[in-house]
C-alpha cells in the first residue's frame, strides 16, 4: 500500500489543472473580495479580510477533499480498479491511499490562501494561531473526502464530476463560505448551521478570536463524517 500511496501522491501533485483550480481559484476569489471590490467599509476591512481568508481556505480545501471522488469515478470507468484487483493491493488499501493522498493535496490550497491573508491583506494573528488554522481547516473538510468517495463509487466519469460540482457550490453557499450566514434569512440561517460546510468554517472563524471549537460544531461534523463514511462503505460494497 505504501508504494501505491506514493504513486497517488505523485499523481495528485503533478496534476496542474487540479492544483490550479483548487488552489488559485479560492485565492483569486479571496483577493477579489479583499483587494478589488469594496465589500465592507475600510474600518471593517481587517476583520473581513481575516474572516474571508478562513472562508476561502475552507472552500478550496473542501473542493480538494470532495473531488477525490472524481478520480475514483474516472478510474472505475477506465477499468483501473479491475486491474488493481489482480494485484496484492487490498481493496481497503486503495480507498485509504485515495483518502490520504487527497488529504495531502488540499494542504497547498489552505497554505496559499492563509499566506495571501498575511502577506497581501494584512491579516495579523498570533504566531501560534496560523498552524492551528491549518490543522482546523484540514480536519473540518474530512467529511467531504468521505462524501467524495461515496460519489466516486456511485457515479462514473464526467457525471460524477458534474454532480460533485453542484454539491460543492451549493454546500459552499449554504455554509456561509461565500456569504456570511448572518446575512441570510432566519430559516436559511438555521439550515446553514446544520451543514458540514458551515461547521467546517466555524472551526477557523472561532480560532481567529482565540476560541476553541464548540461541542455543537464537533458533534455536527462527526455526525456528517460518520454518515458519509457509511454511505461510502455501502457504495463501495455495491460497486465490487
Amino acid at each position: 500500500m505504501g508504494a501505491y500511496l506514493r504513486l497517488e501522491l505523485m499523481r495528485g501533485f503533478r496534476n496542474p489543472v487540479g492544483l490550479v483550480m483548487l488552489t488559485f481559484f479560492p485565492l483569486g476569489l479571496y483577493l477579489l473580495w479583499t483587494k478589488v471590490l469594496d465589500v465592507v467599509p475600510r474600518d471593517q476591512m481587517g476583520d473581513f479580510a481575516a474572516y474571508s481568508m478562513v472562508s476561502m481556505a475552507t472552500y478550496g480545501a473542501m473542493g480538494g477533499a470532495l473531488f477525490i471522488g472524481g478520480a475514483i469515478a474516472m478510474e472505475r470507468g477506465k477499468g483501473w480498479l479491475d486491474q488493481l484487483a489482480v494485484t496484492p493491493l487490498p481493496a481497503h488499501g486503495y480507498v485509504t491511499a485515495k483518502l490520504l493522498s487527497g488529504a495531502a493535496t488540499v494542504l497547498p490550497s489552505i497554505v496559499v490562501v492563509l499566506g495571501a491573508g498575511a502577506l497581501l491583506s494584512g491579516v495579523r494573528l498570533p504566531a501560534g494561531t496560523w498552524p492551528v488554522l491549518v490543522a482546523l481547516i484540514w480536519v473540518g473538510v474530512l467529511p467531504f473526502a468521505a462524501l467524495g468517495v461515496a460519489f466516486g463509487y456511485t457515479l462514473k466519469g464526467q457525471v460524477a464530476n458534474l454532480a460533485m460540482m453542484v454539491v460543492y457550490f451549493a454546500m459552499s453557499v449554504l455554509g456561509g463560505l461565500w456569504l456570511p450566514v448572518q446575512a441570510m434569512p432566519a430559516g436559511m440561517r438555521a439550515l446553514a448551521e446544520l451543514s458540514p460546510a458551515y461547521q467546517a468554517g466555524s472551526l477557523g472563524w472561532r480560532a481567529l478570536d482565540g476560541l476553541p471549537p464548540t461541542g455543537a460544531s464537533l458533534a455536527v461534523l462527526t455526525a456528517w463524517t460518520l454518515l458519509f463514511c457509511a454511505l461510502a462503505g455501502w457504495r463501495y460494497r455495491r460497486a465490487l
Side-chain angles (χ1 to χ4, degrees):
M1 193 182 93
Y4 187 70
L5 175 58
R6 288 193 296 273
L7 172 64
E8 287 294 333
L9 288 170
M10 288 189 293
R11 290 175 63 189
F13 285 108
R14 288 177 179 174
N15 179 6
V17 176
L19 288 176
V20 168
M21 285 296 295
L22 297 174
T23 299
F24 292 101
F25 184 64
L27 173 63
L29 286 176
Y30 176 64
L31 295 178
L32 178 66
W33 303 146
T34 59
K35 306 298 289 184
V36 178
L37 301 178
D38 293 325
V39 179
V40 297
R42 286 292 175 185
D43 60 342
Q44 300 177 22
M45 180 53 71
D47 291 339
F48 175 76
Y51 179 93
S52 181
M53 175 186 72
V54 170
S55 298
M56 288 299 100
T58 304
Y59 171 73
M62 268 179 55
L66 186 61
F67 279 85
I68 294 171
I72 294 175
M74 295 294 288
E75 290 173 359
R76 285 180 60 220
K78 294 178 179 178
W80 176 238
L81 298 189
D82 295 332
Q83 295 294 321
L84 289 178
V86 300
T87 72
L89 180 70
H92 69 271
Y94 171 80
V95 176
T96 301
K98 283 292 184 187
L99 289 172
L100 291 176
S101 63
T105 54
V106 306
L107 290 173
S109 176
I110 300 173
V111 172
V112 166
V113 176
L114 295 187
L119 299 176
L120 302 178
S121 297
V123 176
R124 296 293 178 261
L125 300 171
T129 302
W130 295 103
V132 170
L133 277 177
V134 173
L136 288 174
I137 294 170
W138 184 79
V139 169
V141 302
L142 291 180
F144 297 95
L147 180 60
V149 173
F151 267 113
Y153 283 112
T154 301
L155 303 171
K156 291 185 179 181
Q158 293 302 322
V159 175
N161 285 324
L162 178 60
M164 284 185 292
M165 185 64 72
V166 172
V167 170
Y168 180 34
F169 179 76
M171 284 192 172
S172 298
V173 173
L174 179 62
L177 301 181
W178 284 46
L179 174 71
V181 169
Q182 292 78 7
M184 297 179 181
M188 188 176 179
R189 185 163 62 245
L191 183 62
E193 291 176 356
L194 295 175
S195 72
Y198 172 79
Q199 296 301 344
S202 73
L203 300 182
W205 295 326
R206 287 180 62 84
L208 293 175
D209 296 323
L211 300 174
T214 65
S217 291
L218 295 177
V220 171
L221 284 171
T222 299
W224 281 111
T225 301
L226 293 175
L227 175 62
F228 292 153
C229 283
L231 179 62
W234 174 62
R235 292 306 310 168
Y236 171 71
R237 291 190 294 272
R238 291 290 301 269
L240 293 179

